[in-house]
Amino acid sequence: MRNHAMRPRQLFYVLLAVPCVALSGITTNFERIGLRRIKFGGTFQLREPFRGVRAGRAADYLSDPLRVIAAAWPPHLIKGPTIRDDGVLDYDLEQETINFAGLLTVDGVVDMEVRQSPRGGVTLTSKKLRSVAKLSNGQSVDVPIDFELEGRLDPQSIDPNASAAIRGEFTFSVAADLVGPLLLLPSPALKAAAVAVNRQLDLGGRFTRGILGKYPTWARANPIPRPGAAKESSSVE
């Protein structure tokens, strides 16, 4: 008989496939609603110094919302933005197909609203996750998921020479119907799976590391102008 000790955690991840900015450094809330539906959520905070970087430079770096999203989501799976009349940016975040042991695959798209504020501030909001599971017999099944995410990346200090920092907070809630073999898992296994996924994936930490880790490349491509460079350029012209 095959060993299925790892299956609850993996199946839970297959079902949820939630955005990777929303699952780290939290206490997981879990509720099973009847036999077919589960709900969990939580809040996590970002508190990380941006060592050796001034607030003004960090604000410039974080002024591109695509750069912020791409810190936690593969850039080639980010579609958009569509710009609304009020300036809100709409992105579609496609999910890489997840295959679990031939039992089912899951494809999904997260609808993300992005609002910018001065000095690198960003607010992210999502109220919709479109997800489809394909079973081993080829049947496609819509996975009803109620997903809500509200998060913010706080603006940098108004003093451009102050030390920069990554600060913010995200709150999320997920409610989903169980499909396929997930229906056979008892509530304690699903709850343990949720806790294990949150702890082991370290997705909030991945978001912070993505922002900090990609800064050096951006800084090299966007050097600080030398004092007097603009004046020298004008006199040459």
Side-chain angles (χ1 to χ4, degrees), residues 69 84 88-91 111-115 122-127:
I69 297 173
R84 302 185 195 171
V88 174
L89 306 177
D90 290 322
Y91 288 88
D111 298 336
M112 185 70 69
E113 299 176 359
V114 179
R115 294 171 173 82
V122 177
T123 300
L124 307 175
T125 305
S126 179
K127 296 186 179 296

Side-chain angles (χ1 to χ4, degrees), residues 138-199:
Q139 179 184 4
S140 294
V141 181
D142 288 332
V143 182
I145 297 179
D146 296 330
F147 172 74
E148 293 189 5
L149 167 68
E150 293 186 359
R152 73 174 195 277
L153 192 60
D154 293 340
Q156 296 296 313
S157 170
I158 196 170
D159 179 1
N161 293 315
S163 297
I166 303 300
R167 297 190 180 92
E169 181 178 277
F170 288 85
T171 300
F172 75 97
S173 175
V174 179
D177 287 352
L178 300 171
V179 296
L182 296 171
L183 289 165
L184 304 178
L185 296 179
S187 294
L190 289 170
K191 182 176 181 179
V195 173
V197 168
N198 289 349
R199 181 178 62 247

Side-chain angles (χ1 to χ4, degrees), residues 210-233:
I211 290 178
L212 299 179
K214 294 181 180 180
Y215 173 79
T217 299
W218 176 87
R220 287 192 295 269
N222 298 271
I224 301 174
R226 292 183 296 106
K231 184 177 180 180
E232 293 173 7
S233 175

Side-chain angles (χ1 to χ4, degrees), residues 10-234:
Q10 294 166 316
L11 280 172
F12 192 78
Y13 179 45
V14 166
L15 168 70
L16 297 178
V18 294
C20 56
V21 295
L23 289 174
S24 178
I26 66 167
T27 299
T28 303
N29 303 316
F30 177 85
E31 178 185 4
R32 187 160 188 168
I33 305 170
L35 296 176
R36 289 183 167 271
R37 196 164 180 81
I38 58 173
K39 181 178 181 179
F40 81 97
T43 299
F44 77 89
Q45 295 184 339
L46 301 175
R47 294 289 185 271
E48 189 75 21
F50 212 147
R51 302 187 189 281
V53 179
R54 304 279 187 179
R57 283 287 278 173
D60 290 343
Y61 171 60
L62 298 171
S63 63
D64 182 354
L66 179 59
R67 189 175 296 120
V68 174
I69 297 173
W73 203 275
H76 68 283
L77 296 178
I78 301 173
K79 308 304 179 184
T82 300
I83 305 176
R84 302 185 195 171
D85 292 340
D86 59 2
V88 174
L89 306 177
D90 290 322
Y91 288 88
D92 285 342
L93 310 185
E94 297 180 354
Q95 168 194 300
E96 291 182 338
T97 299
I98 298 174
N99 187 318
F100 175 70
L103 292 174
L104 54 83
T105 60
V106 175
D107 291 289
V109 177
V110 178
D111 298 336
M112 185 70 69
E113 299 176 359
V114 179
R115 294 171 173 82
Q116 297 176 271
S117 57
R119 305 191 307 279
V122 177
T123 300
L124 307 175
T125 305
S126 179
K127 296 186 179 296
K128 189 175 182 181
L129 171 59
R130 293 169 278 147
S131 192
V132 177
K134 181 173 289 188
L135 306 180
S136 57
N137 62 6
Q139 179 184 4
S140 294
V141 181
D142 288 332
V143 182
I145 297 179
D146 296 330
F147 172 74
E148 293 189 5
L149 167 68
E150 293 186 359
R152 73 174 195 277
L153 192 60
D154 293 340
Q156 296 296 313
S157 170
I158 196 170
D159 179 1
N161 293 315
S163 297
I166 303 300
R167 297 190 180 92
E169 181 178 277
F170 288 85
T171 300
F172 75 97
S173 175
V174 179
D177 287 352
L178 300 171
V179 296
L182 296 171
L183 289 165
L184 304 178
L185 296 179
S187 294
L190 289 170
K191 182 176 181 179
V195 173
V197 168
N198 289 349
R199 181 178 62 247
Q200 294 186 19
L201 293 182
D202 188 27
L203 296 174
R206 187 183 305 172
F207 174 69
T208 303
R209 290 192 297 271
I211 290 178
L212 299 179
K214 294 181 180 180
Y215 173 79
T217 299
W218 176 87
R220 287 192 295 269
N222 298 271
I224 301 174
R226 292 183 296 106
K231 184 177 180 180
E232 293 173 7
S233 175
S234 297

